[in-house]
Amino acid sequence: MNKFIGKRLDGRYEIRELIGIGGMADVYKAYDLMEDKIVAVKILKDEYSTNEDFKRRFRNESKAIAVLSHPNIVKIFDVSFGDRVQFIVMEYVNGITLKEYIEQQGVVGWKEAVHFTVQILRALQHAHDNGIVHRDIKPQNVMLLQDGTVKVMDFGIARFARDNGRTVSEKAIGSVHYISPEQARGEVTDERTDLYSVGVMMFEMLTGKLPFDGESPVAIAVKQMQAEAPAPRSLNDQIPEGLEEIVVRAMKKDPDLRYQTAAEMLRDIDEFKRNPSILFEYKYFTDDDSENYFDTTDPKYADVDEIVVKKRISPTMQILLAVTGAFVVIAVIALIIFFSALNNPKEDVIVPNLVGLEYEKVITNTEYTDHFEIVKEKEELSDEYEAGIICEQTPEKDKLVKDGYKIKVVVSSGLNTGVVPDVTGKTEDEAVKMLEDSGFTTTVVSLFNREVEVGKVIKTDPAANTETKKSEVVKVYVSSGSPTKEVTVPNLIGKSVSAAKAELESNDLVCGGTTEVDSDKPKGTVVGQSMAKGSVVLEGTSITLEVSNGNGIEVEVKVSVEIHNNSGKKADFVAYLDGKQVATTSAKNGTWNFTVKGKSSKTGQLTITANGNAYASGTVDFKNGTASVGGYQAVPKPEEPSSKPEESSSAPESSSEPESTVSED
């Protein structure tokens, strides 16, 4: 069980369930006892609590959000940077990420994409106006509420654009699929890098695809710097041309050719919303075009041709200048080649994540060895990884280094495990000391028990004499004596298992175990409890939970098939659901009715044959209890002689098949 769940931070924030896992911190749903409301608490992971760089980034996020107040940016309520736990208390957003929504939809309609983009740009405009560049804009960092409101979050690598204390060498890298070319190169970033990321998000929403992808972060980053993205309309021709032009301009490699501010991009989107057929003609510009492009048909440039004519030179001079220019170009190219060969500059590459990979496979994989020197620094026991797995690396992933850089790795020599000592009957202090002397971390849980003396250990979890990882927290259950007061059983239905257990503990009750059952509720959701809510029981009573396995419940759906038989004789019809025979009949014409069974979470494929040949097909939606059949084919004549009297109707092949009836015209 997560060590924070059920605990109170600063005596105020009651942690209820884990709702998000990040690289630097985890996010929990919590209850603010003082304000009587649900909040989100972001807690820096233990392994980073002594890392000054991560602590700085974590504090930087709180500073960044603290100066912002906008309806499209998550609010911050409180921060705490203690020695043991560092956390940020934020607005709790009940929704899904924009990334999850894109994955659900495949392609987001352009009107909806514009609706989301406008809100994101307004949030960024507010941040930029306050001197903050987000630098990690991606759909995973955008929350989508049920009413369509967008909330931008995770300012973990945000930079204060006006902070003179920052150095140019700071190269925080966002997610490679969405970073700007200058960010991938480790250059100084400004507001325009966020706008590039917005362009990538718009591309993904409108096409259902990322503009750049690859087998490794390095390959993707190189494409961000060098490759041209496909035109959005080449992937989805339903995108209005004007909207495509907005995306193309936002994703220009050269920051000077991009939108310079969020407000400027919003103005173009507003123009597009007023007139969806508008053309901006941005797509006719290339990264080599000048910003000072002008249209000579404009009256204010009427004298341009005349000016050019006055400045013309003689043909002879033009030839001499051309020859001279050619020699200069050749000389410059020669010098560039010479000095490039002399200095042999290496390209910038992004350090991959090697932690969790097999060391032997890494050192034989050219994806890594072509760009890096992998050096095993040492082997040591690991709290998390089996023998032979890389458990640490220096430098960390996503750092920008030169091609050929040396990556030092620590390889696991095996799991750091130990046998849990038997501390049953010991006092709390004695038990904790024995366990900690054995290398384990402990947490003490009070439990009502009539048999064990108050203050003595009842049991541990994991149990005594079992081998377990040293990183696992051992729960020490200490007797608090016989229960003396009555408590009311809370409603646990609809909660996650971890939230239900925390609710039981906060009401002085005990979870007596869980049982998985068929249910159409999401997997892991509590759907039943051994004692009904509102029941009055003694404190310490054990409550068993029924938990959904996510498979759905079995339901019956009625299927109707139209029989159009012009052969003049009865034909043999067979119905298959997902390849399994479910019903048969023999008939001339009419409507064939039968039922099929399946899990409420599934959709089944129907196939109907007539005399052994394809006749019709369809689907069964068990969740909504509906079936549709179509694509009817002509019925072939049955083979002669028929073994069945024409006027009789065959029964299903076995008694296990669903009931099948035909009402004939």
Side-chain angles (χ1 to χ4, degrees), residues 62-98:
S62 68
K63 286 166 59 182
I65 309 177
V67 301
L68 303 178
S69 178
H70 192 274
N72 296 121
I73 298 177
V74 290
K75 296 182 180 70
I76 185 168
F77 300 133
D78 194 7
V79 295
S80 178
F81 298 124
D83 293 334
R84 297 182 62 186
V85 181
Q86 302 197 29
F87 63 88
I88 302 171
V89 182
M90 300 177 294
E91 170 187 11
Y92 174 70
V93 180
N94 187 15
I96 62 173
T97 67
L98 182 56

Side-chain angles (χ1 to χ4, degrees), residues 599-612:
K599 296 291 187 181
S600 59
S601 60
K602 306 293 183 183
T603 298
Q605 299 298 316
L606 273 175
T607 304
I608 315 294
T609 63
N611 293 336

Side-chain angles (χ1 to χ4, degrees), residues 463-625:
N465 301 317
T466 58
E467 186 172 359
T468 188
K469 292 187 291 186
K470 291 287 183 71
S471 59
E472 186 168 350
V473 177
V474 177
K475 281 188 175 181
V476 182
Y477 290 90
V478 177
S479 173
S480 56
S482 298
T484 57
K485 68 175 182 179
E486 292 182 334
V487 295
T488 303
V489 177
N491 180 23
L492 307 172
I493 308 300
K495 299 180 181 294
S496 66
V497 173
S498 59
K501 288 181 176 179
E503 184 86 1
L504 287 170
E505 287 186 13
S506 66
N507 284 276
D508 295 325
L509 297 170
V510 178
C511 177
T514 60
T515 304
E516 283 200 345
V517 295
D518 287 343
S519 170
D520 54 2
K521 299 298 181 183
K523 182 178 175 63
T525 302
V526 176
V527 294
Q529 55 192 79
S530 58
M531 291 190 179
K533 68 172 183 178
S535 301
V536 178
V537 297
L538 285 174
E539 56 186 347
T541 299
S542 178
I543 309 291
T544 304
L545 306 176
E546 289 186 347
V547 181
S548 170
N549 58 15
N551 293 337
I553 56 176
E554 189 169 77
V555 295
E556 286 190 355
V557 176
K558 179 181 177 182
V559 181
S560 295
V561 180
E562 297 300 322
I563 295 178
H564 307 289
N565 184 358
N566 298 322
S567 66
K569 296 182 179 180
K570 288 188 175 182
D572 294 328
F573 294 87
V574 182
Y576 299 89
L577 180 65
D578 294 331
K580 182 180 179 181
Q581 182 176 316
V582 290
T584 63
T585 193
S586 180
K588 287 183 180 179
N589 292 290
T591 301
W592 178 23
N593 296 310
F594 58 91
T595 59
V596 291
K597 295 180 180 179
K599 296 291 187 181
S600 59
S601 60
K602 306 293 183 183
T603 298
Q605 299 298 316
L606 273 175
T607 304
I608 315 294
T609 63
N611 293 336
N613 295 282
Y615 174 67
S617 61
T619 58
V620 180
D621 183 347
F622 289 102
K623 181 177 181 180
N624 296 312

Side-chain angles (χ1 to χ4, degrees), residues 52 55-63 81 86:
E52 289 303 319
K55 287 166 69 175
R56 177 190 57 76
R57 285 174 58 180
F58 196 65
R59 291 186 175 116
N60 191 43
E61 176 174 9
S62 68
K63 286 166 59 182
F81 298 124
Q86 302 197 29

